[in-house]
Amino acid sequence: MWFRAFRFLQMAALGAYLIFLPVYLVERGLSLEQVGLVATVPVAVQLVSGILWGALADLRGQTKPFLIQALVVWAGSAFVLPAISSFMGFLVLGVCRALLTPMMEGLIVTSLFKGAREDGRGASYSGFAVWGSVGWAMGVGLGGAIARGLGTAGAFYFAGTLFLSASLAVFAIPEPEERVPEPTGRRGLGIALELFGDRRVLRLLLASLPLVLALNATSQFFPVRLREVGASPALIGAVYMVPAFLEIPVFLKIGKWSDRRGSRRPLLLLAAGVYVGLFSLISLLADPLELFVGYSLLEPLAWAPLLTGAFTLVAEIVPRRSWATGQTVFSLWMWSVGGMFGPLFGGFVAQRWGLSVLFSVLAAGALISFLLFLRLPGGPGQPSGPGSR
């Protein structure tokens, strides 16, 4: 119950915060390149700090204190953000948040998988993720309504309140009793470097990189694209709210289907293929209602398979004793490496050639990932690897 409450509140807060952040930055007079930098520099910092926090969680055998820390820092950032108006102020706030914030996704997924059956990890993750979809839908929907009535800054006060509420829910989540000691001599970044040396991990990271860059560029510039074609704050909220509800049946089915097949690769192929079509649509359509319909129909078919396939595959190829670090490494790859270069690249392209050209380029990136996913292990009758045993 408390796992679900945490996920609902956490994702509602992130939805209200992240979707309206680039819109708010443009309203404050920042250029598209500056928007990209505000997104890029903090995640470059977290690329190192997040690994250290994840390794510390493995060494202590605990996740709760780090989750609470992350939520409180995010809340502080949300409450401070509306008081800032300069590019440098936004940049400093982002860097401070990055230094102090453990990666929540890696920590909570580790706790979830420690309590799940080995042959039911896909279903466990997808059932848990449903509550994130509901929370995200409520967060962006209510955030859009608040932004329409009180201005964009109101969405951040709403997000901060949700982050604090999520931290209270974490107190009630039982800490996994299992504690697996790390072998002597392996600490911090050394654990992460060992994971990067695993060919299975490295192949997954490299294959997903073009898609990860595209997703992070989209997170910053799709709301701006919507404003460019005349979407109101309420419609921007609806564009993200409706697909989140439609994700729910996809999440409920996709994890069980993947467990039965014993393979995660088909999920990654489905996600990458759908994203090729979605990014192409965004580049071609200039009507906000058409973008709303297209995004609502396609995004659920991509996001749910991507998360379920990727995080479950990581649990199957990373040694159990290093799960927190492994999940943190992949989270950092998605949201820090991708978050560092995706928005930076997106801002560069958008500033010079426009948002329509940017999304055509992002579609090409998703296609490259699709082709690279074809070469991943884990097809039918080809297990992903014994690293979790």
Side-chain angles (χ1 to χ4, degrees), residues 113-362:
F113 283 153
K114 281 183 177 180
R117 298 191 325 271
E118 185 175 304
D119 60 352
R121 290 175 185 148
S124 295
Y125 182 84
S126 59
F128 164 74
V130 162
W131 291 92
S133 297
V134 176
W136 180 272
M138 297 300 295
V140 295
L142 291 175
I146 291 171
R148 183 178 183 180
L150 303 177
T152 308
F156 301 118
Y157 294 123
F158 174 58
T161 303
L162 292 172
F163 280 126
L164 291 179
S165 300
S167 70
L168 297 177
V170 173
F171 278 105
I173 296 176
E175 185 74 63
E177 296 180 1
E178 173 189 25
R179 178 171 179 149
V180 183
E182 290 293 333
T184 303
R186 294 173 64 249
R187 295 292 186 269
L189 289 173
I191 304 172
L193 291 174
E194 181 178 304
L195 294 177
F196 278 112
D198 187 316
R199 289 186 61 187
R200 295 164 300 174
V201 175
L202 190 58
R203 289 174 68 182
L204 173 62
L205 295 180
L206 292 178
S208 63
L209 180 59
L211 180 56
V212 163
L213 295 175
L215 289 173
N216 280 275
T218 300
S219 71
Q220 295 299 313
F221 295 107
F222 184 44
V224 179
R225 170 69 168 163
L226 289 168
R227 286 301 299 269
E228 180 184 65
V229 299
S232 67
L235 182 58
I236 292 175
V239 167
Y240 287 90
M241 178 179 68
V242 173
F245 281 121
L246 297 179
E247 286 169 5
I248 294 173
V250 182
F251 268 122
L252 290 174
K253 294 291 185 181
I254 208 75
K256 294 179 180 178
W257 177 82
S258 180
D259 286 336
R260 288 196 300 268
R261 286 182 60 91
S263 173
R264 313 303 174 185
R265 187 176 63 182
L267 298 184
L268 299 178
L269 290 170
L270 172 61
V274 174
Y275 274 124
V276 172
L278 177 57
F279 297 149
S280 298
L281 267 181
I282 295 173
S283 74
L284 295 172
L285 299 179
D287 182 273
L289 290 178
E290 290 177 353
L291 284 171
F292 166 69
V293 173
Y295 190 85
S296 297
L297 293 176
L298 291 179
E299 192 275 346
L301 300 176
W303 184 247
L306 176 65
L307 291 191
T308 303
F311 282 107
T312 306
L313 182 57
V314 169
E316 293 172 349
I317 62 180
V318 170
R320 189 180 183 92
R321 65 178 178 271
S322 301
W323 268 1
T325 303
Q327 296 292 351
T328 297
V329 163
F330 188 74
S331 295
L332 286 168
W333 186 257
M334 288 192 71
W335 311 127
S336 292
V337 173
M340 180 169 53
F341 293 107
L344 190 64
F345 171 77
F348 176 84
V349 174
Q351 190 72 34
R352 284 157 179 79
W353 297 289
L355 291 168
S356 181
V357 172
L358 169 62
F359 282 98
S360 295
V361 174
L362 299 185

Side-chain angles (χ1 to χ4, degrees), residues 44-59:
V45 173
Q46 196 168 49
L47 184 59
V48 175
S49 65
I51 290 176
L52 293 174
W53 288 119
L56 184 58
D58 272 331
L59 291 172

